[in-house]
Amino acid sequence: MTMTSDKFLRRLRRIYASIDVLKEFDMEKLPAKFIQNDRCVVFSQDFTGGLSEEDMENFAYTVIHNIANLQDHLRKWAARNGKDKKKVDATFNASNSLQLIKDLSNNDKHGYPPRNSGHSNLAPKLIELRRVMNLTTKEEAGSGVVMTFGPDGVPKISGSGTACAVITGDVVDKNNNSIGDLFRVEQDAVKVWENLLTDFGVFVPDNDGT
C-alpha cells in the first residue's frame, strides 16, 4: 500500500468516525421521559439523550463536509497517480446522493439557496434534524428486532437484529417536498466513494453501515 493510498484510508476512517458519532448503541443513555399519576403513565421519547439541537447540527454537518470534501482530494490523487480524474467527476455527476451532500455542504458554507439550484438541481435543504431509533434485522431468514420500554423508561431491545439511535433529518427541495432521509443519503454517498476507490485499486476498510 502506498503512502498516498494510506492517506485516503485515513480520510475514509475520518468519515466513518464522524458517522459513528451520529450513532448511540447504549440504551441506558436514552431513557424516555415519563409522567405518572393515579390514572396513567405517559412516556415521551425523542432519543436525544441530552444532546442539544446545536450538538446534533454540528455532528451532522461534520459528516456532510467530510463526505463532500473527498471529491477534490480524489481528483488531485487520481491526476498524480496515473488514474483518470474524469472518473471522479463522472462518479459525482452520476450520484444523486453525492450531489445532495455537496449541496448541503455548500449551503452551510455559503448560505441558502444554492446558485442554479445546486449540483443536484433540486436546491436541497436540511430540515427537522433529530435523533431517531434505527432498528435493523440481519439478512438471515426469520431475523427480527423489537423495542419495548422498561419501567425506568430505558429502551429494551430483543431479537437477533441491532438497534441504535442515529442523528438524521429530512432532505427536502425548495418547496419542502421530500427528497430523502439524511442518514440514508450519507450512507449511500459513502458507498459510492468506496466503490470508486476500489475501482482505483485502493483498499477500502470494512464498514458495517449500521
Side-chain angles (χ1 to χ4, degrees):
M1 181 186 299
T2 67
M3 288 301 293
T4 307
S5 296
D6 190 55
K7 283 179 61 178
F8 278 105
L9 290 186
R10 288 200 300 272
R11 280 204 162 267
L12 273 181
R13 291 190 181 106
R14 278 175 54 187
I15 293 173
Y16 296 152
S18 61
I19 291 176
D20 283 343
V21 173
L22 303 183
K23 306 173 188 176
E24 181 55 71
F25 290 90
D26 186 352
M27 298 299 136
E28 294 289 336
K29 295 180 180 179
L30 303 170
K33 301 171 186 176
F34 62 95
I35 301 172
Q36 183 174 3
N37 57 37
D38 295 336
R39 292 176 296 176
C40 64
V41 176
V42 178
F43 283 86
S44 174
Q45 177 59 279
D46 58 12
F47 299 109
T48 57
L51 293 180
S52 67
E53 291 183 11
E54 293 78 14
D55 290 332
M56 291 189 286
E57 189 171 14
N58 280 331
F59 291 144
Y61 276 103
T62 296
V63 175
I64 289 168
H65 294 316
N66 280 344
I67 297 171
N69 291 342
L70 191 60
Q71 182 181 8
D72 289 337
H73 292 279
L74 268 171
R75 293 180 83 256
K76 291 179 181 179
W77 175 86
R80 293 170 180 170
N81 288 271
K83 307 294 182 180
D84 185 0
K85 71 175 182 180
K86 291 181 180 179
K87 262 192 170 183
V88 179
D89 294 332
T91 297
F92 176 81
N93 292 333
S95 172
N96 183 245
S97 292
L98 285 176
Q99 292 166 8
L100 291 171
I101 290 294
K102 189 75 168 184
D103 287 343
L104 294 178
S105 177
N106 285 338
N107 289 348
D108 191 52
K109 289 187 290 186
H110 306 300
Y112 188 88
R115 185 173 57 183
N116 299 323
S117 295
H119 296 279
S120 66
N121 294 315
L122 294 171
K125 55 186 175 181
L126 180 60
I127 64 172
E128 301 295 332
L129 201 64
R130 61 197 181 276
R131 196 189 233 178
V132 301
M133 184 60 71
N134 186 47
L135 304 176
T136 306
T137 60
K138 293 184 177 179
E139 294 183 0
E140 62 193 36
S143 176
V145 58
V146 176
M147 182 182 71
T148 58
F149 290 97
D152 55 359
V154 174
K156 305 296 182 183
I157 308 300
S158 58
S160 59
T162 60
C164 70
V166 299
I167 296 172
T168 189
D170 298 325
V171 182
V172 300
D173 65 16
K174 61 183 178 182
N175 297 314
N176 289 330
N177 297 311
S178 178
I179 298 174
D181 173 80
L182 175 64
F183 190 69
R184 300 304 176 191
V185 172
E186 291 167 340
Q187 288 183 307
D188 184 68
V190 171
K191 191 64 180 176
V192 173
W193 282 145
E194 285 179 343
N195 289 339
L196 179 61
L197 284 168
T198 300
D199 188 48
F200 278 159
V202 178
F203 173 75
V204 177
D206 289 335
N207 178 46
D208 62 14
T210 301

